Amino acid sequence: MAHTPLHLQAEVNQLRTELAVLQAHQEQSKLIYVGSYLLERLAQLGVTSMFGVPGDFNLGFLDLVEDHPSMEWIGNCNELNASYAADGYARVNERSIGVLTTTFGVGELSAVNGIAGAFSEHVPILHIVGVPNTMQLKNKPMLHHTLGDGRFDAYTKAAEQFTVSQATLMNKTTAAYEIDRVLNDCITTRRPVYLTLPTDICYEKIPSDRLKVHLTSIPPENDEDVETFVLDEIVKLVETAGQDVVILVDACAGRHHVKAELKDLLTKTHFPVYAAPMGKSVVSESYDRYGGIYVGSISHPDIKEKVESAKLVISVGSLRSDFNTGNFTYSVPARKTIELHSDHIMVLHAKFPDIGMKRLLPKLTARLQPYKEEAKLLEVPLYKIVVPQEDNNLISHAWFWPRVGQFFRPKDVIVAETGTSSFGILDVPLPDDAVFLSQVLWGSIGWTVGSTLGAALAARDLGLGRTILFIGDGSIQLTVQELSSMVRVGVKPIIFVLNNSGYTIERYLHGKERKYNDISNWKWTSLLNVLGGEGASESYTVHTKDDLSKLLEDPTFAKAEKIQLVEVMMDKFDAPRGLKMQTELSGKTNKYVTVESTV
């Protein structure tokens, strides 16, 4: 594992665990299976659902999962969908992790895309792989699910590219330590890890006394002298800026557990706050000092002006990808930016490694609180969206997104698919305690279907509201099988399928009239019945604004007491404003040049 500051922090947390184990009162401890030890660790971390697909090398472990009192096995239709579901579960249940179990080779490789997306977007997932017994791993016979050339480590080598830590449990003596090590790495770095569980090791018995010491992701204290210097420098810059400061929040503020500290900073200082697309819902969008989404040149003009004209920007947990920055059109230079991250701080051009924002934020709040009265005078654009009055009854994107925004309630979990949906919903204010999920950086089409399953299960555990998915007809065809899993486990999302006859975002990027951006038109309102939902689901098609408004105002529909699918008929070439602007910028970057030969 590379020795970045977060990885070093994970090692420190593992050493803490080992020290606590040594200090714990040693007595004759109960013996448990290695597989049971792993499950107890996951239960301590708050995991209640495990996703995956059964295979012959993990079936013995799945017996233990099924018999565990607090763990529910959520069998998926395929491993890719299972990895997406683990991702969605971890995003909603922020204090826990997602867990995925597959079988050797064929199963684990099918899940790689979902694991890579979680790595990209800082989502903690434990990938458990059931593998052949230790004797077979050593002797390397030509087993099924292998490459036939004796390279039993090929899959682990692949996993090394998409996980921050890996462990192969080859003996019972070190099994508990290795399990704790990868879990420490997972919860500290907030990224995926990989664990292989041989069939014979799963049922080896080991002492359970380590379970008395719980794992923790609490970061160590910052170096006091360096932290004080950083705080002094930030305060000087705030004073130099004449308190003309804005705060810009992004995804890692949520991923690395600083929402509470961030909320305290905002309420005690009153500096205006904006969010990047990946940071949507990290800050309450009904907060009176919240100004909206900043996404470079794609931003609403009022938001763009306020952020870019500020003399100082304090950025919290930023991930500056192309779609998160309006194709790198942020006009906020480093010379007026402070960046707070989980494992380092940037003050203008100076980097301070090993100074984490979780420990620093409360102290920064105390230092900046005296500027509250001046900060109150800074104007914040009114963040609201009005349903436009259009002269026809067709459902346009300009009308659709503000209209469904009126349907949202506090604590709803709202999932938006890559492309049309993620751009359309960007400027729609969400109610208090709503949770928003999208995959802006990795952008795997179809991710939201599995993710909605995981998100709905986590929402049910946490007592959140409805789970609502927005997805295009092209995207849902990639992963549609997981609707059957939703029916089987009893979650009841509302699924809006935007039927615009193909891949809209691809049309705007390139090939607007090309056949490769077209799809087959399915009978969407029959889907849930085909996939097991007959009698436990409802499906609708809406063609007009009046149709949709009537449905949204129906109290029975709004209660979401069964799984519901709404086919929304839209024009093939209509798209949200933000998507059109982003694809225009991306199109220039990705411009295809036809080279004509000359004779």
Side-chain angles (χ1 to χ4, degrees):
M1 184 171 64
H3 284 271
T4 65
L6 268 183
H7 293 142
L8 291 173
Q9 180 183 317
E11 290 184 8
V12 169
N13 284 340
Q14 180 63 14
L15 289 172
R16 284 177 176 171
T17 301
E18 296 310 306
L19 180 60
V21 168
L22 290 172
Q23 292 173 338
H25 178 62
Q26 297 297 311
E27 58 185 34
Q28 189 66 33
S29 66
K30 178 183 176 183
L31 295 179
I32 60 173
Y33 296 130
V34 169
S36 299
Y37 180 93
L38 172 57
L39 290 172
E40 290 307 313
R41 275 298 192 211
L42 295 177
Q44 288 176 352
L45 293 175
V47 177
T48 59
S49 295
M50 182 183 295
F51 304 93
V53 177
D56 57 344
F57 293 121
N58 66 28
L59 295 177
F61 175 61
L62 296 189
D63 287 344
L64 298 177
V65 175
E66 189 169 311
D67 293 341
H68 193 277
S70 64
M71 192 73 63
E72 183 179 7
W73 170 249
I74 311 295
N76 297 93
C77 297
N78 60 56
E79 291 86 357
L80 175 62
N81 289 351
S83 65
Y84 289 162
D87 182 313
Y89 180 90
R91 290 181 192 236
V92 173
N93 195 354
E94 293 179 339
R95 293 291 173 180
S96 187
I97 64 173
V99 181
L100 162 72
T101 298
T102 65
T103 198
F104 184 55
V106 293
E108 57 182 303
L109 293 183
S110 294
V112 163
N113 178 39
I115 298 297
F119 182 97
S120 172
E121 301 219 349
H122 294 250
V123 180
I125 291 177
L126 170 66
H127 185 183
I128 304 167
V129 181
V131 300
N133 66 52
T134 52
M135 187 63 70
Q136 291 171 322
L137 293 176
K138 291 173 183 175
N139 294 335
K140 300 178 176 57
M142 193 178 290
L143 290 178
H144 64 289
H145 299 341
T146 70
L147 299 170
D149 62 359
R151 289 185 296 142
F152 277 42
D153 64 343
Y155 314 132
T156 300
K157 288 181 177 178
E160 289 173 356
Q161 311 306 311
F162 312 110
T163 57
V164 295
S165 184
Q166 309 82 35
T168 298
L169 305 185
M170 292 298 287
N171 68 77
K172 68 177 185 179
T173 305
T174 60
Y177 170 85
E178 288 292 280
I179 289 169
D180 289 354
R181 178 179 63 80
V182 294
L183 287 175
N184 261 318
D185 292 341
C186 184
I187 63 178
T188 302
T189 65
R190 311 306 293 171
R191 277 185 156 146
V193 295
Y194 174 89
L195 178 71
T196 64
L197 184 59
T199 55
D200 54 335
I201 293 294
C202 180
Y203 278 87
E204 288 281 6
K205 287 196 171 183
I206 60 174
S208 61
D209 52 330
R210 291 179 64 95
L211 293 172
K212 297 173 185 174
V213 179
H214 287 219
L215 305 181
T216 178
S217 62
I218 297 173
E221 294 285 350
N222 294 329
D223 181 284
E224 186 176 354
D225 290 340
V226 178
E227 183 180 65
T228 300
F229 178 80
V230 169
L231 290 167
D232 289 343
E233 290 301 301
I234 294 174
V235 171
K236 287 177 189 176
L237 289 170
V238 170
E239 290 176 345
T240 301
Q243 292 84 54
D244 184 5
V245 177
V246 302
I247 295 171
L248 182 61
V249 302
D250 210 339
C252 284
R255 304 283 199 273
H256 290 276
H257 303 320
V258 297
K259 281 186 178 180
E261 292 86 353
L262 179 60
K263 182 178 181 181
D264 197 46
L265 171 69
L266 297 174
T267 56
K268 289 182 178 176
T269 66
H270 274 223
F271 286 118
V273 59
Y274 302 83
M278 290 179 72
K280 186 173 177 67
S281 82
V282 169
V283 173
S284 170
E285 297 190 348
S286 63
Y287 174 51
D288 62 0
R289 302 295 288 165
Y290 177 73
I293 301 291
Y294 175 67
V295 57
S297 63
I298 297 175
S299 311
H300 187 282
D302 290 348
I303 296 171
K304 186 175 185 297
E305 190 277 328
K306 291 297 181 186
V307 174
E308 296 179 359
S309 66
K311 292 180 180 176
L312 185 67
V313 175
I314 299 177
S315 171
V316 185
S318 67
L319 282 172
R320 295 197 175 188
S321 71
D322 52 355
F323 278 22
N324 205 34
T325 62
N327 217 51
F328 308 115
T329 57
Y330 267 25
S331 293
V332 183
R335 58 181 167 78
K336 65 172 189 177
T337 303
I338 294 162
E339 292 186 23
L340 309 183
H341 295 278
S342 59
D343 59 359
H344 72 279
I345 306 295
M346 293 287 295
V347 180
L348 308 187
H349 297 286
K351 182 176 181 179
F352 299 89
D354 301 324
I355 303 296
M357 60 182 171
K358 189 167 184 68
R359 295 286 191 181
L360 180 128
L361 273 168
K363 298 169 186 176
L364 182 61
T365 298
R367 295 288 298 273
L368 296 184
Q369 190 168 358
Y371 303 109
K372 179 176 181 177
E373 296 306 315
E374 292 87 347
K376 280 182 180 178
L377 302 177
L378 296 170
E379 184 182 350
V380 179
L382 181 61
Y383 186 51
K384 60 182 290 187
I385 192 165
V386 178
V387 180
Q389 298 296 314
E390 297 180 334
D391 59 3
N392 61 67
N393 206 16
L394 300 177
I395 301 173
S396 66
H397 281 283
W399 179 88
F400 176 77
W401 296 105
R403 181 63 187 88
V404 294
Q406 297 176 334
F407 177 70
F408 297 149
R409 296 174 178 172
K411 294 189 176 184
D412 278 349
V413 177
I414 299 158
V415 189
E417 177 61 57
T418 294
T420 304
S421 298
S422 60
F423 279 98
I425 204 167
L426 210 54
D427 292 326
V428 176
L430 302 182
D432 281 341
D433 300 318
V435 179
F436 178 68
L437 275 65
S438 68
Q439 199 187 51
V440 174
L441 175 52
W442 187 243
S444 184
I445 293 175
W447 165 82
T448 55
V449 183
S451 187
T452 294
L453 169 62
L457 287 165
R460 187 167 70 183
D461 286 350
L462 298 173
L464 298 177
R466 306 168 299 183
T467 300
I468 304 171
L469 167 62
F470 295 94
I471 186 168
D473 54 346
S475 296
I476 195 172
Q477 288 193 7
L478 275 75
T479 49
V480 70
Q481 311 98 312
E482 226 50 48
L483 297 182
S484 66
S485 300
M486 297 179 196
V487 171
R488 179 169 48 80
V489 301
V491 294
K492 301 165 185 175
I494 300 173
I495 302 158
F496 290 91
V497 177
L498 310 185
N499 187 342
N500 49 19
S501 304
Y503 302 117
T504 300
I505 187 170
E506 312 293 5
R507 293 191 197 283
Y508 274 89
L509 284 166
H510 186 79
K512 199 167 188 177
E513 301 278 2
R514 290 288 185 174
K515 292 180 181 178
Y516 51 68
N517 285 324
D518 295 339
I519 62 167
S520 297
N521 187 37
W522 290 3
K523 295 184 182 299
W524 297 105
T525 54
S526 300
L527 259 182
L528 289 174
N529 285 347
V530 170
L531 295 175
E534 190 169 2
S537 67
E538 292 289 345
S539 296
Y540 314 85
T541 298
V542 292
H543 294 269
T544 66
K545 293 182 175 73
D546 290 342
D547 289 344
L548 181 61
S549 289
K550 182 179 179 181
L551 183 63
L552 296 178
E553 291 163 8
D554 183 335
T556 301
F557 174 77
K559 284 181 182 178
E561 293 180 336
K562 56 177 66 176
I563 184 171
Q564 299 174 102
L565 185 148
V566 183
E567 178 186 17
V568 183
M569 305 304 296
M570 306 187 88
D571 183 81
K572 183 175 182 178
F573 298 111
D574 189 21
R577 175 194 67 86
L579 182 144
K580 292 177 182 178
M581 295 179 71
Q582 175 66 56
T583 52
E584 182 179 352
L585 292 168
S586 297
K588 292 176 181 177
T589 304
N590 301 335
K591 187 175 181 181
Y592 292 93
V593 179
T594 303
V595 180
E596 296 183 5
S597 60
T598 57
V599 179

